[in-house]
Amino acid sequence: MVTAPNTIVWITGASKGLGAAMAATVPFPGATIVNVSRSEVPGIENVKVDFSDPGQWSRVEDDFTRRLGSFDGKLAVLVANAVYQPQFGFAGELGGDEFRKQVIANAAAPLFVAQAFIRACRPGFESALVMMSSNGAVQHIEGASIYCSAKAGIESWVQTVGRERKQRGHGPWIAAVRPGLMETPGFRGMLASTPDEFPAAAQIAKMVDVRPPSDPARIAKGIWKLIAERAETGALVDLGATT
Ligand SMILES: NC(=O)c1ccc[n+]([C@@H]2O[C@H](COP(=O)([O-])OP(=O)(O)OC[C@H]3O[C@@H](n4cnc5c(N)ncnc54)[C@H](OP(=O)(O)O)[C@@H]3O)[C@@H](O)[C@H]2O)c1
């Protein structure tokens, strides 16, 4: 007999990096784990979406509605973690198509997905929403204008929505997390940028020679602890500084 799960966890970008580490360390036995990204992850559920194409976003919205419509378990979680960053570059110098895709995937898609999750959550089960941010939200790094402004937008959104949820008295607990530098494919890709596209790469490479980037599994466990404790809603948590 197949028993219904007590917990459902969606992780955007669970195919690699921090998202994969989060999927591998889900602390809820028997949870249904759903990866949302362009590639599929064996052994867990998958919703294939390219976030740079808004025409595909309803796939994840439909998945929330379908699974949560009949959910009689205890906890639903969304970790909005994916980032689309194949290339860095100064504004006006990145190709128009690439600029558009990065803005859509990194600034708009996380908000759309998060609000679709809030809409699908009903009273009767607990829910938690973590949005992945970065120190880039406050650092203004040349070559990463879309990334930095997208993360600043995410942080503002989380803090505003946290207030809204307090006023309503129901709906998901929400937090924004700055995970700090981690050893991931995304991090390695950033270091491989040319100095012209992303001048900070050399400085970051020197920095991590002295203090290596964190293991994403360690940061993932810190995020699960945060979700388990669900302290203040709407909080901005800097795990890079505290773990
Ligand atoms: N690594 C760091 O040092 C660091 C520092 C601060 C903040 N962060 C934040 O932590 C989060 C994870 O970063 P990471 O370093 O683990 O990233 P990563 O190694 O580049 O992995 C990115 C994930 O996002 C997915 N993704 C990329 N483009 C996508 C698209 N167009 N549509 C759907 N999914 C897409 C990828 O899956 P597919 O390729 O299968 O689509 C992959 O699973 C991000 O939000 C990042 O901003 C990371």
Side-chain angles (χ1 to χ4, degrees):
M1 192 179 93
V2 180
T3 51
N6 250 335
T7 306
I8 306 185
V9 175
W10 284 268
I11 303 169
T12 71
S15 62
K16 39 176 114 76
L18 176 60
M22 290 215 61
T25 55
V26 171
F28 310 110
T32 296
I33 305 169
V34 187
N35 165 53
V36 186
S37 72
R38 293 167 300 179
S39 45
E40 292 199 353
V41 178
I44 61 175
E45 309 264 326
N46 289 277
V47 179
K48 275 183 87 169
V49 178
D50 180 345
F51 285 123
S52 70
D53 174 5
Q56 297 185 21
W57 293 356
S58 60
R59 294 179 193 171
V60 63
E61 185 177 30
D62 292 347
D63 199 62
F64 293 148
T65 312
R66 182 176 66 79
R67 290 181 198 270
L68 292 180
S70 57
F71 183 57
D72 60 1
K74 287 201 171 123
L75 175 66
V77 178
L78 168 65
V79 182
N81 159 82
V83 66
Y84 170 74
Q85 196 70 58
Q87 205 187 339
F88 289 84
F90 284 25
E93 297 174 15
L94 204 58
D97 191 46
E98 190 51 40
F99 192 90
R100 179 179 55 78
K101 283 166 86 174
Q102 290 189 20
V103 170
I104 288 171
N106 296 334
L111 307 193
F112 175 86
V113 172
Q115 104 95 21
F117 178 73
I118 294 172
R119 278 177 75 83
C121 286
R122 294 172 293 107
F125 56 85
E126 291 180 42
S127 46
L129 166 56
V130 167
M131 309 277 288
M132 219 52 72
S133 185
S134 163
N135 290 320
V138 286
Q139 279 180 341
H140 319 302
I141 309 162
E142 296 95 327
S145 64
I146 306 170
Y147 182 86
C148 294
S149 58
K151 296 303 192 188
I154 284 173
E155 292 192 355
S156 171
W157 194 83
V158 165
Q159 289 170 91
T160 308
V161 173
R163 290 175 178 216
E164 292 175 355
R165 300 274 44 102
K166 274 186 202 156
Q167 209 171 107
R168 290 287 183 254
H170 62 82
W173 169 89
I174 179 168
V177 169
R178 294 180 190 165
L181 294 180
M182 297 168 292
E183 186 57 68
T184 66
F187 175 73
R188 284 291 144 198
M190 174 190 72
L191 288 188
S193 306
T194 68
D196 189 52
E197 289 165 348
F198 190 65
Q203 198 190 332
I204 296 172
K206 267 193 209 150
M207 211 167 78
V208 298
D209 271 350
V210 180
R211 184 175 179 224
S214 303
D215 177 353
R218 189 170 67 82
I219 299 300
K221 285 179 194 155
I223 297 171
W224 287 123
K225 185 166 178 283
L226 195 71
I227 291 171
E229 290 169 354
R230 294 200 283 287
E232 200 200 339
T233 199
L236 168 59
V237 183
D238 192 343
L239 282 181
T242 56
T243 57

